[in-house]
Amino acid sequence: MSKESNSMGKTLLDLPANVWRSIFRNSLPSSDRGRAATSFTNFFLHIQPVRVSRQALRPSYTMGLGLISFFLFVILTVTGILLMFYYVPSTTQAYDRMLDLRSAVAFGIILRNMHRWAAHAMVAVVFLHMCRVFLTGSYKPPREFNWLIGVALFLLTLLSSFTGYLLPWDQLAFWAITVGTSIAGYAPFIGKALKFMLLGDATVGQEALLRFYVLHVVVLPLVLTITVAIHFWRIRKDGGLAKPEPKLAPALPAVEVLIAEPAPVLVAASSSAAEGTAPARRFTIQGLVRGPLIQVGKLEEDTVFSWPSLLIAELFVLMLTIAGVLVVSYFFNAPLEQPVNVMHPPNPAKAPWYFLGLQEQVSYSAFWGGIGIPGIELLLLALVPYIDRGKDGVGRWFARQRVLANSVFLFFVFVNIVLIVIGTFFRGANWQFVSPF
Amino acid sequence: MRLALAVVSLVVLIGSGAVVYDQFHSRWEDNQKAYFNQALDLAKTPAERESIEARSPKIEQTIVTAFGAQRIDRCESCHIAVDDPRFDSGHQPLRTHPYSEAMGDVFNNGRWERRHKFSDFGCTSCHDGQGRGLDKADAHGEEDSWPEPLLGYTSQPDWKKETAAHLHDKAFLQANCAQCHTAKDFAGTPMVAHGHDLFFKTGCYGCHRIDGISSGTLGPDLTEVGKERKLDYLWGHIVNPREYTPTSIMPQFKLSDDDEKALVIFLKSRRGANLSESPVEAFTLKAKSVTPALPGVAELDASLTPAARGEKLIATLACLSCHKLDDHDGGISPDLSYEGLMRDQGWLMDHFKSPRSRVPDSNMPAFGLPQSDFEAITAYLLSRTTPPPAISAADTYKNLCARCHGDKGDGHGINSTYLDPAPRDLTRAEFMVSKPEARFITSIHDGVPGTSMPAWGKSLSDAQIKGVLDFVWQTYVHEARRQLKPRKVPEQNPVPFSAASAARGEAIFVARCTGCHGRKADGHGPNSMDISPRPRNLTNSAFIQNVSDHRLFESVEYGVEGTAMPSWMDYGLSQSDVGDILNYIHSLNQNGK
Amino acid sequence: MAAAPKTNDPVDQQMPRRQFLSWFSGIALFGSAVAGVFSTFVFLKPRATYGQPNRFSIGRPDEFPPGARLAIDTKRVCIVREGNKIAAISTTCTHLGCIIAPTETGFQCPCHGSQFDVDGNVTGGPAPKPLSWFQVSLTPSGELEVDKDNEIQTGTYLSV
C-alpha cells in the first residue's frame, strides 16, 4: 500500500474505494516523488522521461511539429476507421458512397472533411518537421538512425496520402493516380512490374481501387504505427530532443526511490519476516537507464518534471491540432469532382499537390524528372547524417557551424517548393504555361 | 501553457458544439416540419391528426432498380408533399407533383391515380439531378461537377449566360420520356420527333452516326451524346461549333430557336441503349451500318424522270441545308445553280460516292445513299445549263465569286471556313502582281482541279472573265501589274523519274519541307496552322497532276510571293535537288493518274 | 485523470489561477470528448439504409376485396380485410424469424411448428408472442400505406 493517504476515493463517486484503487493504482501525484513516479506507474505515461529539458518544451524550438504530425495521424486513423463504416471500395459504388457521406450520413461531411484536410496537413507538417530537425542539426550522433526512420516515415506518409487519394473515385482521383503511377512506371528495371503490381491491371480500375484501399487502411497504417513506435523509442533512447551541450549542475547525489510491494513476497528467514512486514527493495533509477541525459551524479539544472509540464504541452498541441482541423473542416468542404469518366481526362490532369513538383519535372524528362532526380535527393537526404559528420551546432537553429549543410538543404527545399508552385498555378491546359492572375 | 491549453480546449468545445448543432438543423428537416404543420391544419379526423403528430422528420428515399442502374432518390425528403393532392397550389418544395392525362394519370372516383408512381420510377429517371443529395445545391446538381443537373431547370455556373437563357423549359424533359417511349409518333414527345426530323432535314445525318438512325463518319458518333454532354454544350456547339471545339469543321447552321430546341432535345434523348430496348436489340443496332430512312424519300413517285426525281431528292435529302440552289441557300457550301456548266457525269458521280476522291480536303460527308439516288441527282444537276445573266462585272463578282472569295475579296466568303484549300485572298497584292494575267484567266476559265474553284469557262464569256478580273484588280488588289522578269526555270523536269531520285527527293523533303507541308506532304505540318495561306497539300493528285513542272520548279526555287513559301535556291537547293523533290512529289501522286 | 479532481498538490494549491485553468481545461476537454463520443454514435447509426424500406404502399383499398387475406412475402406482411376494415399482420414468426404462411385457421410456421390464429395470437408451438400488427394508414393520394416501424395493438383496424 502506498504510504500516502488516498483522498481521491472519498471526493469522487461513491464507488467503493477498492474498486477505484484497483483501476488506478496510484493517486494523482502531489509530491516530486509522485511526479517522478508517473513514468513508471502509468501505461501511457511511461513513454515519457521523468524529467524533460526546458528547451525541449519551448514552442520556438520545435514548434511541436513532430507532435502535430503524430496527432494528425491519430485524427486520420480515427476518422478513417469511422469512414470505413460507410465506404465501399467498388468502382460502381465508391462515388455514390461519397455522395451519401456528404448528404445522408450524420456528421459524414465533417468527418470526410477532417480526414481530407488532416491528410494534406500531415504531408506538409511532416515535411516541416523534417526541415526543423535538419536545421537544428538534430540528426547528428546518436540520432542518425532516428533520422533514417524519419525519412522512412516521410515516404510512408506520402504513400498513405497517395493511396487514399484514389478512393473517392472521382475524376480528380482517377487521373491523379493515373499520372502518379505512370511516373512510378519509369523506374529502371522494376518500373513496369511495379506499376502493374500497384494497379493490378494495365490501367487504373477495380483492381487498383481494391489494392489501394487495402494498402491505405491496413498495410500502411500498420507499418506507420510500428515505425512511429520505433521513432518514439529511439527519441527516448537517444536522450530526448537534441539540445546544445548542457550546462552541468553541481553533482547531486543519486536519487533513490523506494518502490514497496504490497503483496507478500518470497520470504527468506530473516529479521524482516519475523517482524511481519514485507521487505522493501531498493533501486537506483539512474542506474537502469543509459544515455546522455541521465548522467549519474550530474543532474542538469534546466529540466522540469514531465508531470505535468510535458503532459500539458502535449495536450495543448493535441487540442491545437484538433481545433485547427475542426475549424478548417467546418468552413471548407473537401472537393468531390465529376464521377470517373475514362474517356475524358481533364485538361490538365494534375497529380496531388505534393507530387506536382515531380510532375513539373517529369514534363521535361520522364526518367530524370520522375525517378532520377527525386531518387538522388532521397538518397542524399537519407545519407546526410553519415555524410555530415561534424559534431557542432546541434540543438540550435541555423547554427553558424552548419551554414553549408543548412544552405544546401534550404536550396533543395526552395527549388522543390518553386516547382510545386509552378505546377500548381502556372500550368494550364496541355501543360502550357498560363498566368494565374 | 495552461492558459494556451484552456483557450484551445474552449475552441474545440465550441467547434464541437457548432458541428453538432449544424447536424441537427438541416433544411430538409425544416421542410418536413413545415409540411407536418400544414398537414395538421388540413387534417379532418383526430386519428389523422394523431398519426401526423407521431411523425418526425426522417430521410425519405426511393430505391429504383427496375429501370437501368440502381438509383437512390432522396428528393422526397424536401419535396415531401409531392404525392399529397392537397398541396397543388403550395409553395415549392411543398407542392404536389402535377397530374395530367398526357402522363397517363387517370381521374377516378374523385381523385387522380398516378401512372408513374414515385415508388416505381423515383424522380431522377425523368428529371435528372442528383438523387442522393439532401440539400438543394447538391440535389439539383448546381455545381459544375455534377454531370446531370435538373433537366430544363438548373443551370450550372460555367454555362454561358446567353445559352443558359434558352435552357429553362419543361419541354427538355421530353428527352427523358424518350428513354422508354421510343416510338417516333409518341404523343408525349413531339419535340423529340421534331428534332429527329431536323436531324435529317438539316443534314446532320450525313456526318454523324447514331445507332439505328444514321451512319455518318465525318463527325463524332452521337449515339450517346445525351449521356456525355449537358444541355449547354449541345446548344452552344450547334450555334457556334468553334467556340467549343476550336478545330471543328462542323458548319455553323443557322436555326431558329424553336428548331434549335427541338434538335437539342432530340440529341439529349440519345443516351445509347435505351430502357425499352433489349440488350440483343441494342447490340444488333450497334453492329449495323444504317442506310438513313429519310422522311419523304419513300413517297417519291416512281414515274418521275431521273432528273425530276433528282430535283425532289435534293429537297428531301437536305442538300440545301449546306448548298445553294436558286433561292434556297444553306450558306455553307458551293452554289449548284450552274453545275451543268461546270462539272461532268464522271466528276459528279465520283464526288457523290466519295467527295474526297475529287476534292481531297473536302468536308462534305460521303452520304451512304443508293446508286440510283446519286444518278438521279446527277441527272438533275447536269440539267442546270442556263448560264448566269450577263450583268456588270461587279455584280457578276458579287453573285458568283463573293460566296467564296468574300465581299471584300479577302478570301472570307461565307463558304470559306469550310473549304480546303481556302479561297485565294485577292487582296494579297504581293501574290497577285507576281503572276501573269494569263494564269488567272486560266484558273477562272478552267477551274483549279482538286479544289473547289470550278471551271467558269462555260458560264462566262471570255469578255466577262476579263471584266471580272479587271474588277478584282481595281477593287481588291490596289497595285498595278508589274512587268515580270523572266525566270530561268526549266519547262520539264531535267531529272528523269526514278526510284533513286524520288528517294533523294524524299530525304531533302524530310529535312526542309515537313515543317510546313508535313511528313505526309499533306499540308498539315506543325507550322501549318500559323501561316496564311496554309501550305499546299502536295498529295492532292488532281491538283498536282494539273500543274506543270515549270510552275512547280518556279514555286520551289523562287518561292511564292505573298505566302510563306521561301525561295529555296537562296537556301542552297540546286536545280537537281529540286528535280529530285519533284520526282518525290510525283511518286506520291501516282495513283489515279 | 478524467474529470477535474480537487488536488492536494501543494504547488497547485498555492496558485489558484493555475488551478482554475486546469479545471477549466478539464471541463472543456470532457465536454468535447462527450460531444465526440455522442457524435460518433449518431454517425454510426444509419439514417438511410439501402435495403427494403419499412414504409411502403400496398395499393388502393379497392384492390383488397372484403374477406381478403393476402400475404405479400417480399414485404413479410399479410393484408387482411374484413368488411371495410383493413389490417396488416406481420408474417415473420415471433419465434426465430421464419416466414409464416396463411392457413384455413390462421397462420402456420414451417420451421418449428408455431401456430397462430387469424388475428395472429399464438395457438400452438414455441412462438413466445403474438404476431405484430403494423400501422396501416391512408395517404392523401388515396393509397394504403403500411409502416413496419410502427406496431399497433392487435385488433386495431383502419376503416376505409
Side-chain angles (χ1 to χ4, degrees):
Chain A
M1 291 277 278
S2 158
K3 286 198 180 146
E4 294 178 317
S5 70
N6 189 340
S7 55
M8 253 187 1
K10 295 202 187 84
T11 51
L12 282 172
L13 319 165
D14 281 328
L15 279 176
N18 59 343
V19 173
W20 188 263
R21 226 177 294 127
S22 74
I23 304 172
F24 300 102
R25 294 165 66 240
N26 308 88
S27 51
L28 278 180
S30 50
S31 68
D32 270 359
R33 193 168 56 194
R35 280 184 271 269
T38 56
S39 295
F40 297 89
T41 56
N42 182 287
F43 175 76
F44 298 101
L45 292 181
H46 96 283
I47 201 177
Q48 293 179 345
V50 170
R51 297 188 76 95
V52 76
S53 87
R54 243 189 256 273
Q55 192 205 2
L57 287 183
R58 254 194 285 130
S60 58
Y61 178 58
T62 60
M63 292 175 275
L65 289 169
L67 270 180
I68 296 178
S69 312
F70 176 63
F71 291 137
L72 283 172
F73 179 60
V74 170
I75 292 175
L76 283 168
T77 308
V78 171
T79 54
I81 291 177
L82 287 176
L83 287 170
M84 280 172 75
F85 277 93
Y86 287 101
Y87 174 80
V88 176
S90 145
T91 52
T92 45
Q93 292 190 60
Y95 188 80
D96 285 340
R97 291 303 184 126
M98 298 301 294
L99 290 176
D100 281 345
L101 274 167
R102 203 160 76 159
S103 51
V105 173
F107 299 107
I109 194 169
I110 194 93
L111 269 174
R112 193 232 161 176
N113 287 350
M114 285 176 66
H115 196 77
R116 179 65 161 231
W117 299 131
H120 284 306
M122 186 173 170
V123 173
V125 171
V126 162
F127 176 76
L128 290 173
H129 172 64
M130 177 180 79
C131 290
R132 191 284 293 167
V133 172
F134 190 101
L135 294 172
T136 56
S138 303
Y139 55 79
K140 296 210 184 266
R143 295 180 177 86
E144 309 99 309
F145 186 65
N146 214 13
W147 167 266
L148 276 178
I149 301 266
V151 172
L153 282 171
F154 178 52
L155 287 175
L156 285 168
T157 306
L158 283 176
L159 272 174
S160 297
S161 188
F162 185 65
T163 49
Y165 212 77
L166 180 64
L167 302 185
W169 201 249
D170 63 352
Q171 283 283 74
L172 183 66
F174 183 88
W175 295 103
I177 265 53
T178 302
V179 168
T181 48
S182 297
I183 294 178
Y186 274 100
F189 310 119
I190 58 168
K192 284 213 160 42
L194 180 67
K195 181 176 170 190
F196 191 68
M197 278 207 325
L198 266 178
L199 296 185
D201 199 342
T203 54
V204 179
Q206 176 62 68
E207 294 308 306
L209 186 56
L210 185 58
R211 286 178 182 229
F212 273 47
Y213 183 68
V214 172
L215 283 172
H216 184 74
V217 313
V218 179
V219 176
L220 287 169
L222 212 59
V223 175
L224 253 168
T225 304
I226 294 175
T227 315
V228 164
I230 301 177
H231 199 60
F232 287 175
W233 169 267
R234 282 303 301 241
I235 293 175
R236 286 293 313 277
K237 292 306 165 192
D238 293 338
L241 299 189
K243 55 195 178 309
E245 300 71 36
K247 288 188 318 243
L248 293 178
L252 296 172
V255 173
E256 285 187 351
V257 170
L258 227 56
I259 297 181
E261 289 178 0
V265 296
L266 290 168
V267 173
S270 69
S271 51
S272 47
E275 285 165 3
T277 58
R281 288 197 273 181
R282 285 188 143 82
F283 294 92
T284 303
I285 300 177
Q286 286 137 322
L288 288 176
V289 178
R290 264 184 301 129
L293 175 63
I294 311 299
Q295 294 171 335
V296 179
K298 287 183 279 184
L299 201 59
E300 289 169 32
E301 228 169 51
D302 205 11
T303 60
V304 290
F305 276 111
S306 292
W307 176 280
S309 311
L310 181 59
L311 188 66
I312 291 190
E314 288 169 346
L315 262 178
F316 166 67
V317 175
L318 173 64
M319 284 297 122
L320 186 69
T321 312
I322 293 179
V325 173
L326 198 62
V327 166
V328 170
S329 304
Y330 186 79
F331 289 108
F332 299 101
N333 282 343
L336 187 67
E337 295 190 356
Q338 288 96 322
V340 167
N341 185 341
V342 298
M343 300 297 186
H344 283 270
N347 194 353
K350 290 196 177 177
W353 64 267
Y354 40 86
F355 283 154
L356 269 177
L358 232 70
Q359 192 174 356
E360 172 66 26
Q361 283 173 202
V362 160
S363 74
Y364 299 106
S365 159
F367 173 73
W368 284 109
I371 308 285
I373 292 181
I376 292 174
E377 285 176 334
L378 256 173
L379 199 62
L380 284 175
L381 204 59
L383 292 179
V384 122
Y386 302 99
I387 297 175
D388 175 13
R389 278 189 290 227
K391 293 234 187 317
D392 298 326
V394 175
R396 275 176 297 134
W397 280 89
F398 301 117
R400 192 93 9 117
Q401 299 92 318
R402 298 188 52 252
V403 150
L404 179 64
N406 284 347
S407 307
V408 172
F409 181 77
L410 280 174
F411 169 74
F412 276 103
V413 166
F414 178 70
V415 165
N416 275 302
I417 291 181
V418 164
L419 285 171
I420 289 180
V421 165
I422 294 178
T424 311
F425 298 109
F426 289 87
R427 289 290 193 182
N430 301 320
W431 209 254
Q432 300 303 311
F433 277 112
V434 290
S435 161
F437 309 111
Chain B
M1 195 54 86
R2 277 182 165 88
L3 177 63
L5 178 61
V7 166
V8 115
S9 307
L10 185 64
V11 170
V12 171
L13 184 66
I14 293 176
S16 313
V19 166
V20 172
Y21 178 83
D22 258 1
Q23 192 53 52
F24 292 105
H25 284 83
S26 337
R27 188 79 184 281
W28 61 267
E29 294 182 43
D30 293 338
N31 282 328
Q32 289 197 14
K33 287 186 192 143
Y35 170 72
F36 295 148
N37 287 336
Q38 293 183 36
L40 217 51
D41 291 337
L42 292 167
K44 295 204 188 78
T45 67
E48 205 184 321
R49 226 164 277 141
E50 219 181 281
S51 73
I52 294 175
E53 271 164 4
R55 285 178 77 174
S56 61
K58 214 162 72 119
I59 294 182
E60 301 282 338
Q61 66 181 25
T62 307
I63 303 182
V64 183
T65 44
F67 301 105
Q70 185 200 60
R71 295 169 185 267
I72 297 189
D73 287 347
R74 300 192 175 117
C75 319
E76 285 173 76
S77 304
C78 281
H79 293 277
I80 190 165
V82 85
D83 229 353
D84 188 337
R86 305 170 296 183
F87 282 79
D88 53 11
S89 50
H91 209 42
Q92 286 283 20
L94 298 178
R95 197 201 291 202
T96 319
H97 189 285
Y99 298 95
S100 75
E101 279 170 6
M103 297 253 299
D105 301 333
V106 168
F107 195 75
N108 210 353
N109 293 339
R111 43 162 48 119
W112 281 100
E113 287 172 17
R114 206 181 282 286
R115 178 77 183 89
H116 296 82
K117 293 208 182 78
F118 297 109
S119 52
D120 296 327
F121 290 85
C123 314
T124 59
S125 314
C126 303
H127 285 278
D128 284 354
Q130 196 218 112
R132 289 177 189 241
L134 272 179
D135 69 62
K136 181 161 168 264
D138 270 351
H140 290 201
E142 288 173 10
E143 237 184 56
D144 295 335
S145 61
W146 187 247
E148 294 188 340
L150 223 50
L151 199 55
Y153 185 77
T154 299
S155 304
Q156 294 186 332
D158 64 347
W159 292 12
K160 299 195 181 8
K161 291 228 164 26
E162 325 81 63
T163 315
H166 296 284
L167 302 174
H168 208 279
D169 188 344
K170 274 203 283 233
F172 286 100
L173 287 172
Q174 293 180 31
N176 279 349
C177 303
Q179 292 308 296
C180 297
H181 300 280
T182 52
K184 189 144 174 236
D185 53 0
F186 181 67
T189 55
M191 297 288 266
V192 176
H194 186 34
H196 193 147
D197 281 341
L198 282 171
F199 185 75
F200 290 108
K201 291 210 183 88
T202 346
C204 317
Y205 75 97
C207 290
H208 291 285
R209 181 192 168 87
I210 294 185
D211 286 348
I213 295 181
S214 66
S215 320
T217 51
L218 208 56
D221 186 333
L222 297 181
T223 310
E224 297 189 359
V225 76
K227 195 162 71 169
E228 290 170 4
R229 300 290 181 186
K230 302 179 199 171
L231 288 178
D232 75 311
Y233 183 92
L234 294 174
W235 184 287
H237 204 283
I238 298 177
V239 164
N240 188 352
R242 274 153 288 283
E243 206 173 337
Y244 287 79
T245 311
T247 52
S248 172
I249 55 171
M250 172 166 165
Q252 189 172 14
F253 296 99
K254 302 210 180 8
L255 299 168
S256 71
D257 278 352
D258 286 332
D259 282 350
E260 174 87 34
K261 188 182 285 191
L263 203 48
V264 168
I265 293 176
F266 169 71
L267 290 174
K268 189 71 181 154
S269 70
R270 301 300 105 188
R271 295 197 185 208
N274 58 47
L275 295 164
S276 63
E277 267 169 357
S278 74
V280 177
E281 282 170 345
F283 179 77
T284 322
L285 277 179
K286 210 166 235 338
K288 267 190 347 199
S289 190
V290 178
T291 304
L294 285 113
V297 174
E299 292 91 52
L300 290 178
D301 193 347
S303 67
L304 293 170
T305 63
R309 186 154 183 275
E311 186 180 7
K312 287 221 158 23
L313 276 173
I314 287 183
T316 334
L317 292 175
C319 307
L320 300 180
S321 62
C322 291
H323 285 284
K324 176 174 184 317
L325 197 60
D326 300 326
D327 294 326
H328 288 103
D329 188 2
I332 287 161
S333 307
D335 184 353
L336 304 173
S337 310
Y338 312 105
E339 205 65 3
L341 297 170
M342 300 199 281
R343 306 288 184 194
D344 60 26
Q345 166 97 2
W347 195 98
L348 285 172
M349 285 302 287
D350 283 348
H351 189 263
F352 271 127
K353 286 200 213 102
S354 165
R356 288 188 172 188
S357 66
R358 289 292 183 161
V359 182
D361 295 302
S362 166
N363 77 336
M364 170 164 164
F367 291 90
L369 298 170
Q371 178 92 341
S372 55
D373 283 0
F374 288 147
E375 285 166 355
I377 301 175
T378 305
Y380 173 71
L381 289 175
L382 288 175
S383 73
R384 300 286 307 205
T385 48
T386 316
I391 42 183
S392 71
D395 286 334
T396 308
Y397 178 88
K398 199 169 88 163
N399 288 349
L400 301 181
C401 318
R403 192 176 176 82
C404 298
H405 288 281
D407 293 324
K408 300 205 192 90
D410 55 5
H412 289 146
I414 52 176
N415 285 354
S416 56
T417 336
Y418 312 108
L419 298 175
D420 189 347
R424 181 72 65 186
D425 178 358
L426 304 168
T427 61
R428 195 124 346 161
E430 315 96 310
F431 173 80
M432 301 299 283
V433 304
S434 69
K435 303 294 174 204
E437 189 183 20
R439 165 165 159 169
F440 294 113
I441 305 249
T442 311
S443 292
I444 301 176
H445 191 279
D446 298 339
V448 181
T451 74
S452 298
M453 176 70 177
W456 295 99
K458 295 198 192 121
S459 317
L460 300 172
S461 68
D462 288 345
Q464 278 177 300
I465 293 180
K466 181 85 173 49
V468 169
L469 201 53
D470 287 339
F471 166 76
V472 165
W473 226 265
Q474 274 174 311
T475 327
Y476 300 125
V477 180
H478 298 299
E479 235 184 75
R481 281 209 188 80
R482 301 191 191 133
Q483 185 69 327
L484 296 171
K485 283 202 294 241
R487 285 172 165 168
K488 277 173 54 187
V489 173
E491 285 297 322
Q492 293 275 1
N493 189 352
V495 180
F497 183 83
S498 70
S501 168
R504 282 196 303 271
E506 183 177 4
I508 304 172
F509 187 87
V510 166
R512 307 300 209 96
C513 318
T514 53
C516 294
H517 287 282
R519 180 63 184 87
K520 297 201 161 71
D522 56 7
H524 292 143
N527 298 336
S528 59
M529 301 300 281
D530 299 326
I531 52 188
S532 167
R534 297 271 155 80
R536 183 73 68 184
N537 177 356
L538 300 169
T539 56
N540 186 338
S541 304
F543 178 84
I544 296 288
Q545 281 154 15
N546 185 58
V547 167
S548 64
D549 281 355
H550 170 104
R551 183 167 141 181
L552 287 175
F553 255 92
E554 185 177 2
S555 295
V556 178
E557 290 202 325
Y558 286 88
V560 181
E561 287 91 324
T563 74
M565 179 67 174
S567 69
W568 285 99
M569 69 183 187
D570 293 340
Y571 292 100
L573 284 189
S574 69
Q575 212 171 70
S576 80
D577 287 336
V578 179
D580 287 334
I581 293 177
L582 251 62
N583 283 333
Y584 170 65
I585 293 176
H586 281 306
S587 75
L588 297 175
N589 289 289
Q590 299 260 331
N591 333 327
K593 236 203 185 139
Chain C
M1 257 187 300
K6 288 216 181 70
T7 168
N8 279 3
D9 193 323
V11 182
D12 276 358
Q13 280 178 334
Q14 288 159 16
M15 304 179 68
R17 177 179 154 211
R18 189 185 272 195
Q19 198 182 350
F20 167 74
L21 286 176
S22 303
W23 178 87
F24 184 84
S25 307
I27 295 279
L29 287 170
F30 183 68
S32 310
V34 165
V37 171
F38 170 72
S39 312
T40 303
F41 283 114
V42 173
F43 169 81
L44 287 174
K45 179 165 171 233
R47 294 197 301 184
T49 58
Y50 306 101
Q52 295 258 4
N54 268 349
R55 213 169 78 233
F56 48 90
S57 150
I58 48 176
R60 323 201 82 83
D62 24 302
E63 290 171 29
F64 299 95
R69 290 174 65 79
L70 183 65
I72 308 176
D73 278 351
T74 46
K75 306 281 191 198
R76 290 182 170 240
V77 77
C78 176
I79 310 299
V80 167
R81 179 167 177 167
E82 293 171 17
N84 274 344
K85 300 189 296 180
I86 296 193
I89 306 179
S90 165
T91 54
T92 301
C93 183
T94 51
H95 180 224
L96 289 173
C98 291
I99 302 182
I100 59 180
T103 64
E104 300 281 311
T105 51
F107 299 94
Q108 168 83 41
C109 181
C111 291
H112 305 102
S114 299
Q115 289 169 346
F116 306 84
D117 70 5
V118 287
D119 281 342
N121 298 310
V122 182
T123 55
K129 291 191 314 190
L131 297 172
S132 309
W133 283 47
F134 298 126
Q135 168 158 80
V136 186
S137 53
L138 202 56
T139 65
S141 56
E143 303 219 322
L144 287 169
E145 196 175 70
V146 173
D147 187 357
K148 282 166 64 175
D149 285 330
N150 226 328
E151 284 180 26
I152 53 180
Q153 213 177 31
T154 303
T156 319
Y157 288 88
L158 173 76
S159 299
V160 295

